[in-house]
Amino acid sequence: MKKATIYISLLFIALTMNAQDKTNELSGFIIHKQENGSNGSLDGANIFLIYAKDTLKTTSINGVFRFKPIKTGKAKLIITAIGCRKIEKELDIIAGKNPNLYIEILDESIQLEEVTIKGRIPIVTQNGDTLIFNPKAVNVQEGDVAMNIVEQLPGTETDDHSVKIMGKQVTKTYIDGKLIFGSDPMAALKNLSATDVLKIKAYDEYENTKTKKLMYRGDLTRVLNIETKSKLISSWKAHLLASAGSNLDSTNDKGKFRKGLGFTANFFSEKFLLTSNVFHNNINRKSNNIKDVLSISDPGSTYNETTYADLATERSWDTENGTYGTFRAFYTFGYNRDNTNTRSEQHYFPDNNYQQRLYEEQNSNSDKKQNHYSEFSFSNSNDKWGEFRWNQLITYNNNKDWQSLYIYNEENNLQTSKSLMHYDNLNKNFHVKEDVSYVNSITDRIGYTLESSVDINKGKDHSLRIDTLESSTTQTYLTIPSKLRNTEWNGNAQLIYILNPKNDTQISLDYSVKYENGWKHQFAWNMLSPTNPQTDEANTYSYKVNNLTQKQEVSFHFFPFKNTSCDISAGLKETTLKRKEKEMDNYRKTFISPAVAISFVHTDITNSWSAAYRLHNFVPNIVQLRPQIDNSNPYTLRSGNPNLKQSYLHSFLFNCNRMLGKHNHTIGVIINASIRQHSPVAKTTYYNAETYLPELQYTAPAHSSLISFENVKGYWGIKGKLIWQAPIRNIKSKYALSTGFNYEHNPYYIGENKTTTRTYDPSLEHFLLCNLTKRLKITISANTHYVHSINTENYTSKTFYQTAGATFDISQICKYFYLSSHYNFIFSHDYGINKEINRNHTLHLNIGCKVLNRKGDISITAYDLLNSHRTFNSQMYSNYIQNTWSNYYGRFFTINFTYRFGKVKSSYEGITNDGSIREYRPMSGKI
């Protein structure tokens, strides 16, 4: 009774406000009667008033709509809304005698050929071009968020940074039709409590839904709309995380005391959001997410100490005069220390210089990186005045790097040379980028876009390099300061003409220009004799660059078939590269190439496909073109080639996603083929004796290699992948099978001889997600992978990989306790030179209990309890096979404490815990 009184009162107020002048208008109020029994005003419905020769359109705001002015006579009123039944009503409009309309609209769901089984809730239904997922068909655990529901749904692919629905990436996540959590689609999925979710709708909409002009609305994108129990208005959440522990391996001298401390606070609402995040740890955590800690994700093999802080805000507006926009600001500070230790062996194939050759490196590396990043963006749009966008990005990096490198060379089983090198580098870099764009229309069919950006990059380096070659005459102690500056300006102008507004057929003309101006100065001195430093010619140089790129293109967009769009574009690209340098010949060359692209896209929410061809061109960069020796590793020298040509890449892409009825199985197919002409590839020349290189004015040490670049024909590859997903409803699980095959035909040069490596790479992957009950969750995965490489000389590399993993989560034991475990097995067998067999068994465990009214957790987490982790990798390159071993620093334990708190504002009141609604009852006097 109370609900009815509220709705009648609201209706009376809305219609009274619209009753001032009825001589030339039609108004009404729309009530949405939902399947769950709740009713409310319908916002965002599309209302059409259709005459014999004219059509008017508007949208509802809080259920109210109005047409003014209107014509008299017979007309048809049509109302459509996502997830609701279509309403059609015949009207006879008489001047001054048009009553206010009261319209009820109902939900409409069309089941996707679901087999009707007594007592079973359909996991997905379809309404037109909308998929409607039912969270009641899956299990969620305490503390789960909306993301944990989405990952169980058919046709979804998820990772930490994105979500795909039926093969298309989600760009927005609405909460009850509003962007409560801002423009980031992952923010809502990671912060909205799973217990608050009623329905999840997936559909396509244009990027700009607020405009009425075709040229402003952008492309069709996939979005999610989550209906909630609470009808969320705003939310603020915070949590504290603290960890302390120690290494489990006594031989590991890195981070004997393991620690972590973090705090996160977020406020979300439709018009304003503010988020902050601070943490410090030396346990390889890259986020402050409690779930990442309690789910015991693999900490990785390196030792990392991280300090991080960020602050972000977003403000949006939508005024009555049709102006809408957004302001965003984002700042982060990061300080990272990384330590890695690796050993690699390069086993070379026999050639004219040797029958056996081994090159070995032992590398110890320590990095310290301090980064500041800020980004500001502003957009303001109005159908009359156009759309203006501004974006600014500023970064500042201050990095230190220390490296110790031991090198060993062996030929025909005899040692030829060895070296111990030390590097100490200091790098400072400042980068700023400004982007401005403006979109407007001349008429309803003609519009234009103007874009401009400037990108400034400044850097300063100072390197110390100690080379202790066996011969004392070649020992060096180099100090190498350098400076660089690069400025890039981009401009673009586009003219659009809409040929047919009914089917969005349009043609556009584009002109873009990029101008790049920069310089680099580097000086090097050999300080073996501090009182008499000598200039090191190989590492001293100075050059300036001036590059200009222009591109003209015409594009045509049309619909050859229903729900199938076609885009065709063709143009011409001209690039002129200029380099001025005193120490070598100046360089100037102009590259001209065509630009062609054609694509077909069929948009159907349950049966979509796309096919595309594109011709890319790649102009060689300064590093590839400069004939300057890089002897940072004296046994692996590198140099550019000024005679390089531009290369062309022909790429073909096919993508198909389909839902197969009855049991909601989904299948996805991805095929990507590429052919490259004049591909710049490595050309490796080996010197078994000390050799002077006149074109580089450098003497290569004995038993060293020079790697330069050379254009080659014959590169091509193809990649294919088939993904099948099947919900197993009896145990509320989701099974995914993925099989793939990659082939690469990769030519290169060994000396003057061209050779080719062919690589065959089939794979098979299984994944099973079982939410058996609301307290038990099991995940099982397995991956089988085989890589077979063979070159022209019939030298081969064969490696078999098998991985298997399982996670076991019990969210409630004896009411207060929980347990999470993760086991991973890695097996690899190298059938090549080393016949290496590697087996890894890794077990992580987390045991905890709920405290402080279940808002807090105390847990103990242990990583790599079995102490059997080894990191090994084998790969075939141009003329050698490389085996790599890495130290593992991921064996430790921590004791953790977490505490959550927060508050929500919604259309319902109830008891809250960790910032999420847990019990619901209507608020008096509110809707």
Side-chain angles (χ1 to χ4, degrees):
M1 184 66 185
K2 186 181 293 185
K3 280 187 177 181
T5 304
I6 294 170
Y7 290 130
I8 292 172
S9 301
L10 181 61
L11 175 63
F12 176 78
I13 293 170
L15 297 184
T16 301
M17 293 173 62
N18 290 290
Q20 298 173 2
D21 180 12
K22 293 296 169 188
T23 59
N24 199 23
E25 74 171 45
L26 178 70
S27 59
F29 185 75
I30 305 173
I31 289 288
H32 182 198
K33 290 198 169 185
Q34 302 182 49
E35 291 177 352
N36 60 11
S38 61
N39 303 325
S41 59
L42 184 62
D43 191 31
N46 295 312
I47 302 101
F48 301 88
L49 188 61
I50 302 175
Y51 294 90
K53 296 183 179 181
D54 195 12
T55 299
L56 304 178
K57 178 187 175 183
T58 188
T59 56
S60 61
I61 301 175
N62 295 324
V64 178
F65 68 90
R66 177 192 298 178
F67 291 102
K68 181 180 180 180
I70 58 173
K71 301 176 183 178
T72 58
K74 293 187 180 297
K76 178 184 286 188
L77 183 72
I78 297 178
I79 301 175
T80 62
I82 294 173
C84 299
R85 296 182 183 178
K86 183 178 180 181
I87 298 292
E88 294 188 13
K89 189 177 182 68
E90 299 289 343
L91 301 176
D92 189 4
I93 299 175
I94 303 173
K97 297 182 179 181
N98 300 309
N100 291 305
L101 302 175
Y102 175 86
I103 298 170
E104 295 181 350
I105 192 167
L106 305 176
D107 283 339
E108 180 179 39
S109 297
I110 303 172
Q111 201 167 319
L112 279 174
E113 301 181 46
E114 176 81 32
V115 176
T116 303
I117 299 177
K118 186 176 180 180
R120 175 173 295 180
I121 302 171
I123 192 171
V124 57
T125 56
Q126 184 181 5
N127 176 25
D129 292 331
T130 301
L131 288 180
I132 304 173
F133 298 100
N134 192 344
K136 294 180 181 179
V138 301
N139 284 325
V140 293
Q141 296 182 325
E142 180 180 0
D144 276 356
V145 292
M147 186 69 170
N148 299 111
I149 297 176
V150 171
E151 66 185 8
Q152 302 179 61
L153 302 176
T156 62
E157 300 173 59
T158 62
D159 57 37
D160 289 338
H161 307 289
S162 65
V163 170
K164 288 184 178 180
I165 304 292
M166 296 302 297
K168 194 171 183 179
Q169 187 163 321
V170 172
T171 59
K172 294 179 186 177
T173 301
Y174 294 99
I175 305 297
D176 300 309
K178 302 175 182 178
L179 291 175
I180 300 293
F181 292 90
S183 56
D184 181 4
M186 300 301 292
L189 297 175
K190 291 184 176 181
N191 287 278
L192 181 67
S193 172
T195 58
D196 196 19
V197 179
L198 279 175
K199 291 180 182 178
I200 300 178
K201 298 179 180 180
Y203 53 90
D204 289 340
E205 70 173 22
Y206 289 101
E207 292 176 281
N208 187 352
T209 59
K210 297 178 181 180
T211 183
K212 296 180 181 179
K213 292 193 175 183
L214 291 176
M215 60 189 64
Y216 292 167
R217 66 186 187 181
D219 297 324
L220 272 175
T221 60
R222 188 139 299 170
V223 301
L224 293 178
N225 188 5
I226 302 177
E227 292 186 14
T228 64
K229 302 173 185 176
S230 63
K231 307 305 174 193
L232 194 65
I233 297 175
S234 64
S235 166
W236 82 270
K237 289 185 177 184
H239 68 254
L240 176 69
L241 170 63
S243 301
S246 180
N247 289 330
L248 291 171
D249 190 348
S250 59
T251 61
N252 181 9
D253 60 347
K254 300 294 184 183
K256 292 184 178 180
F257 174 62
R258 299 285 184 151
K259 58 188 181 293
L261 182 65
F263 177 76
T264 295
N266 300 321
F267 173 78
F268 299 102
S269 68
E270 184 181 10
K271 299 297 183 183
F272 177 74
L273 66 83
L274 180 66
T275 65
S276 63
N277 193 20
V278 180
F279 63 84
H280 171 81
N281 69 77
N282 64 349
I283 47 184
N284 285 26
R285 289 183 193 151
K286 298 299 183 183
S287 79
N288 214 21
N289 193 327
I290 292 179
K291 272 282 185 182
D292 291 344
V293 179
L294 302 185
S295 64
I296 49 176
S297 55
D298 194 339
S301 61
T302 63
Y303 173 78
N304 175 268
E305 185 172 347
T306 300
T307 301
Y308 179 86
D310 71 44
L311 181 66
T313 185
E314 184 174 315
R315 178 75 170 88
S316 59
W317 55 89
D318 189 357
T319 63
E320 293 181 357
N321 66 359
T323 300
Y324 49 90
T326 305
F327 171 77
R328 301 183 185 95
F330 180 62
Y331 169 78
T332 67
F333 166 78
Y335 178 76
N336 292 280
R337 292 177 57 195
D338 292 293
N339 291 89
T340 57
N341 283 284
T342 61
R343 181 175 70 88
S344 65
E345 294 179 351
Q346 296 177 6
H347 296 268
Y348 286 80
F349 304 126
D351 70 2
N352 297 330
N353 296 300
Y354 47 78
Q355 289 300 310
Q356 179 267 343
R357 181 188 171 199
L358 169 67
Y359 173 84
E360 181 181 339
E361 284 186 359
Q362 294 186 27
N363 191 344
S364 296
N365 187 273
S366 177
D367 290 333
K368 295 181 180 180
K369 298 179 180 179
Q370 185 183 71
N371 306 310
H372 298 266
Y373 176 92
S374 65
E375 185 171 0
F376 302 89
S377 64
F378 170 84
S379 66
N380 196 61
S381 303
N382 184 287
D383 280 2
K384 182 178 180 181
W385 302 109
E387 178 185 68
F388 174 80
R389 291 181 180 271
W390 166 78
N391 189 81
Q392 181 190 75
L393 183 150
I394 300 175
T395 61
Y396 173 74
N397 302 320
N398 187 355
N399 303 328
K400 294 182 179 180
D401 173 77
W402 177 87
Q403 182 182 13
S404 176
L405 180 66
Y406 171 78
I407 299 173
Y408 172 83
N409 271 298
E410 178 183 291
E411 280 186 21
N412 299 324
N413 299 312
L414 296 175
Q415 175 188 315
T416 56
S417 60
K418 62 181 180 180
S419 176
L420 180 62
M421 306 182 65
H422 300 278
Y423 305 89
D424 194 356
N425 302 312
L426 174 64
N427 169 263
K428 295 182 180 181
N429 179 267
F430 176 76
H431 175 217
V432 59
K433 184 178 182 181
E434 300 274 354
D435 292 277
V436 176
S437 68
Y438 179 67
V439 181
N440 203 352
S441 61
I442 302 172
T443 68
D444 288 341
R445 292 193 177 190
I446 301 176
Y448 61 90
T449 300
L450 301 175
E451 296 176 312
S452 179
S453 69
V454 61
D455 194 337
I456 302 173
N457 195 8
K458 297 172 63 177
K460 181 186 292 186
D461 295 280
H462 196 156
S463 301
L464 293 175
R465 187 196 307 167
I466 303 174
D467 304 347
T468 56
L469 300 178
E470 288 192 323
S471 172
S472 61
T473 59
T474 60
Q475 287 185 352
T476 56
Y477 186 148
L478 298 182
T479 177
I480 311 174
S482 66
K483 293 182 180 181
L484 65 86
R485 180 186 175 98
N486 192 73
T487 303
E488 181 181 299
W489 178 82
N490 288 271
N492 182 70
Q494 182 185 55
L495 183 65
I496 303 173
Y497 177 61
I498 299 176
L499 300 172
N500 190 338
K502 293 183 179 180
N503 58 15
D504 196 21
T505 300
Q506 58 182 259
I507 189 170
S508 63
L509 302 175
D510 292 81
Y511 172 77
S512 61
V513 59
K514 180 174 76 171
Y515 176 71
E516 183 181 7
N517 175 272
W519 51 260
K520 183 176 182 180
H521 306 308
Q522 178 170 298
F523 306 93
W525 293 276
N526 192 340
M527 304 298 292
L528 275 179
S529 176
T531 58
N532 185 27
Q534 301 294 316
T535 300
D536 184 82
E537 300 294 342
N539 290 282
T540 299
Y541 54 84
S542 177
Y543 63 82
K544 296 180 180 180
V545 294
N546 288 278
N547 303 329
L548 178 65
T549 301
Q550 300 180 78
K551 184 178 179 181
Q552 305 86 30
E553 191 172 48
V554 58
S555 302
F556 183 47
H557 174 81
F558 64 101
F559 284 80
F561 314 105
K562 183 180 180 182
N563 295 332
T564 303
S565 64
C566 178
D567 288 273
I568 301 174
S569 63
L572 197 65
K573 182 179 178 182
E574 179 184 353
T575 301
T576 300
L577 303 181
K578 296 181 184 179
R579 187 192 75 241
K580 293 183 178 180
E581 192 163 0
K582 293 181 179 179
E583 292 79 9
M584 60 183 66
D585 294 337
N586 293 334
Y587 181 89
R588 178 187 174 121
K589 193 169 184 179
T590 298
F591 301 90
I592 299 176
S593 63
V596 179
I598 180 170
S599 65
F600 292 88
V601 179
H602 180 75
T603 54
D604 186 312
I605 194 70
T606 58
N607 183 15
S608 62
W609 59 266
S610 64
Y613 162 78
R614 181 175 289 274
L615 172 62
H616 310 261
N617 91 296
F618 298 92
V619 174
N621 58 43
I622 289 297
V623 175
Q624 294 174 322
L625 290 169
R626 289 189 69 249
Q628 175 76 38
I629 197 75
D630 176 1
N631 66 347
S632 54
N633 183 335
Y635 289 109
T636 306
L637 306 170
R638 298 180 184 276
S639 173
N641 179 2
N643 299 316
L644 282 180
K645 304 175 184 178
Q646 65 178 334
S647 60
Y648 297 92
L649 177 65
H650 303 267
S651 63
F652 307 85
L653 178 63
F654 177 77
N655 195 334
C656 177
N657 291 274
R658 187 171 183 180
M659 188 169 283
L660 301 176
K662 283 194 175 181
H663 303 288
N664 307 130
H665 292 193
T666 61
I667 188 168
V669 178
I670 303 173
I671 300 175
N672 189 356
S674 59
I675 301 172
R676 192 156 186 171
Q677 296 175 294
H678 306 300
S679 178
V681 299
K683 178 182 179 181
T684 304
T685 305
Y686 178 73
Y687 306 103
N688 54 12
E690 189 175 279
T691 305
Y692 179 70
L693 309 176
E695 68 278 7
L696 298 174
Q697 299 181 13
Y698 183 79
T699 301
H703 314 293
S704 64
S705 296
L706 172 64
I707 300 175
S708 58
F709 297 96
E710 195 72 43
N711 291 112
V712 69
K713 296 180 180 179
Y715 173 88
W716 66 278
I718 185 169
K719 297 179 180 180
K721 193 172 185 179
L722 173 68
I723 304 171
W724 173 55
Q725 295 184 6
I728 306 175
R729 302 298 310 285
N730 293 331
I731 55 174
K732 292 195 174 181
S733 303
K734 177 182 176 181
Y735 171 73
L737 171 68
S738 173
T739 179
F741 180 80
N742 300 339
Y743 173 79
E744 188 175 41
H745 190 270
N746 191 7
Y748 50 90
Y749 282 93
I750 303 298
E752 299 301 323
N753 299 322
K754 176 184 173 183
T755 186
T756 301
T757 295
R758 304 184 305 276
T759 301
Y760 307 86
D761 182 6
S763 63
L764 181 67
E765 185 174 358
H766 305 267
F767 179 80
L768 180 63
L769 175 60
C770 303
N771 275 31
L772 298 175
T773 70
K774 292 185 177 181
R775 298 184 181 183
L776 177 60
K777 177 182 177 181
I778 299 174
T779 303
I780 302 172
S781 63
N783 188 305
T784 305
H785 190 52
Y786 179 71
V787 181
H788 179 196
S789 298
I790 181 170
N791 68 5
T792 306
E793 305 299 325
N794 290 323
Y795 294 111
T796 64
S797 170
K798 301 177 183 179
T799 307
F800 174 79
Y801 299 93
Q802 178 64 59
T803 64
T807 61
F808 186 79
D809 298 321
I810 304 177
S811 62
Q812 197 172 113
I813 305 173
C814 299
K815 191 176 180 179
Y816 295 102
F817 297 92
Y818 56 85
L819 179 146
S820 297
S821 63
H822 177 81
Y823 170 77
N824 194 42
F825 169 70
I826 301 175
F827 172 82
S828 64
H829 189 173
D830 176 18
Y831 295 92
I833 294 176
N834 273 10
K835 309 297 183 184
E836 179 83 16
I837 297 178
N838 187 49
R839 294 183 179 91
N840 283 340
H841 300 269
T842 308
L843 177 63
H844 308 319
L845 187 66
N846 180 68
I847 301 174
C849 67
K850 295 288 184 180
V851 296
L852 301 175
N853 195 27
R854 309 190 74 82
K855 295 180 181 179
D857 293 90
I858 296 177
S859 65
I860 181 169
T861 305
Y863 298 92
D864 192 19
L865 285 171
L866 302 179
N867 192 23
S868 67
H869 193 284
R870 294 179 68 220
T871 303
F872 169 78
N873 182 59
S874 180
Q875 188 170 353
M876 181 174 175
Y877 290 91
S878 56
N879 60 330
Y880 63 89
I881 294 175
Q882 177 168 300
N883 299 318
T884 304
W885 296 264
S886 302
N887 280 17
Y888 185 71
Y889 295 108
R891 188 166 190 262
F892 56 90
F893 79 92
T894 59
I895 298 173
N896 314 296
F897 171 75
T898 65
Y899 182 73
R900 311 169 183 83
F901 50 96
K903 186 178 180 181
V904 300
K905 181 180 179 182
S906 68
S907 300
Y908 284 73
E909 66 180 1
I911 300 172
T912 63
N913 187 25
D914 72 21
S916 62
I917 300 274
R918 301 181 68 84
E919 296 181 8
Y920 305 93
R921 51 184 182 269
M923 297 177 65
S924 59
K926 294 185 179 181
I927 295 178

